[in-house]
Amino acid sequence: MDLKIVLLGPPGCGKGTQAERLVAEKGFVKISTGDLLREAVRLGTPLGVQAKGFMEAGKLVPDELVIGLMKEKLAAIKGPVLLDGFPRSLEQARQLEALTKVDLAIDIEVNEDNLVKRVTLRRSCKGCGAVYHLEFNPPKTAGKCDKCGGELYQRTDDTEATVRERLKTYKEKTLPLTKYYQDKKILRSVDGEGEISVVFDRIVKVLEKK
Ligand code: AMP
């Protein structure tokens, strides 16, 4: 069965990192709205121009823009799909449901005190989007991606002030989704504390039960 999975959790919970491994090891195709929006900003497309200010302020990009993007991508994919960073509001969840059936929503839980540290020490690859952490998951060569040799950089929204704003946005807009999926009986919570591979194994266990 071609599963459609939503990854939920606050900024810094490890969604992107776990999504990368699920793609590499479990054959999922990932759609990350954050990655798509950053690419649009980098290229200066009309979507990017509209999204930039919201992203830099730690706010959500308006639903209609993100939903349009998601529709286009979902239509092009066959096979198991992993949605990383979408939906992020109840409106997005409802619109997604109208497009396709979601099989599982996996909520990655991390203690709030650890989130800011995780995000501010995060570095991302300009080339392939791979994610590192200077302390917990450092690259083999400083400043260079292990996978593609690309240059590592700090996202402009990974500063402490913006992370705090993103957490506020998360609590207000995205946290209600856990109840939404719980009511549909497809929510599974996973402890996101500990090593990347340990968290990955917990996610795989959840998938195996499906
Ligand atoms: P992420 O890479 O998932 O942390 O997303 C980075 C930023 O992109 C967020 O702080 C939002 O400004 C924007 N963004 C990503 N996904 C969405 C979404 N589903 N809805 C609205 N804004 C989004």
Side-chain angles (χ1 to χ4, degrees):
M1 182 174 59
D2 286 340
L3 288 179
K4 292 215 172 44
I5 296 188
V6 163
L7 277 185
L8 294 173
C13 74
K15 285 191 299 292
T17 303
Q18 297 298 336
E20 258 178 50
R21 278 196 71 163
L22 288 163
V23 168
E25 296 179 34
K26 298 285 166 190
F28 281 93
V29 177
K30 172 180 87 152
I31 309 179
S32 158
T33 40
D35 286 350
L36 292 169
L37 290 166
R38 274 185 291 282
E39 181 67 0
V41 171
R42 193 180 67 79
L43 295 172
T45 66
L47 170 67
V49 170
Q50 291 183 80
K52 190 169 189 270
F54 294 102
M55 294 172 78
E56 284 176 352
K59 307 265 185 224
L60 291 188
V61 173
D63 286 337
E64 61 278 14
L65 296 180
V66 184
I67 290 162
L69 186 65
M70 181 53 66
K71 265 189 191 161
E72 198 183 296
K73 291 288 160 189
L74 259 183
I77 292 180
K78 299 248 174 320
V81 177
L82 194 65
L83 301 183
D84 164 18
F86 184 94
R88 251 184 165 97
S89 67
L90 282 172
E91 178 57 21
Q92 291 180 13
R94 290 189 190 110
Q95 297 255 5
L96 176 63
E97 205 172 311
L99 286 178
T100 188
K101 177 174 170 281
V102 174
D103 299 290
L104 267 186
I106 299 179
D107 183 35
I108 305 180
E109 297 179 322
V110 173
N111 184 323
E112 191 173 329
D113 295 342
N114 295 335
L115 292 172
V116 175
K117 192 171 171 208
R118 282 192 179 202
V119 177
T120 51
L121 291 180
R122 168 159 71 187
R123 296 295 180 269
S124 310
C125 174
K126 273 192 178 163
C128 68
V131 184
Y132 297 86
H133 186 279
L134 294 182
E135 195 179 320
F136 306 131
N137 178 30
K140 292 195 181 86
T141 309
K144 272 209 180 335
C145 177
D146 295 351
K147 293 177 186 128
C148 76
E151 187 190 333
L152 301 187
Y153 78 111
Q154 183 174 30
R155 281 169 42 178
T156 52
D157 61 348
D158 275 353
T159 57
E160 183 162 347
T162 314
V163 174
R164 295 207 183 276
E165 195 55 40
R166 285 163 63 199
L167 267 172
K168 220 170 107 195
T169 305
Y170 166 78
K171 285 185 193 158
E172 207 178 296
K173 302 270 167 68
T174 311
L175 196 57
L177 290 182
T178 50
K179 176 155 189 334
Y180 177 87
Y181 286 119
Q182 197 166 30
D183 288 349
K184 296 191 178 298
K185 306 204 176 357
I186 57 168
L187 182 79
R188 302 289 180 275
S189 295
V190 167
D191 178 3
E193 303 280 356
E195 283 186 24
I196 293 169
S197 56
V198 173
V199 177
F200 181 70
D201 290 344
R202 291 180 190 135
I203 294 177
V204 170
K205 276 210 181 91
V206 165
L207 291 178
E208 282 168 357
K209 281 194 196 137
K210 184 67 198 169

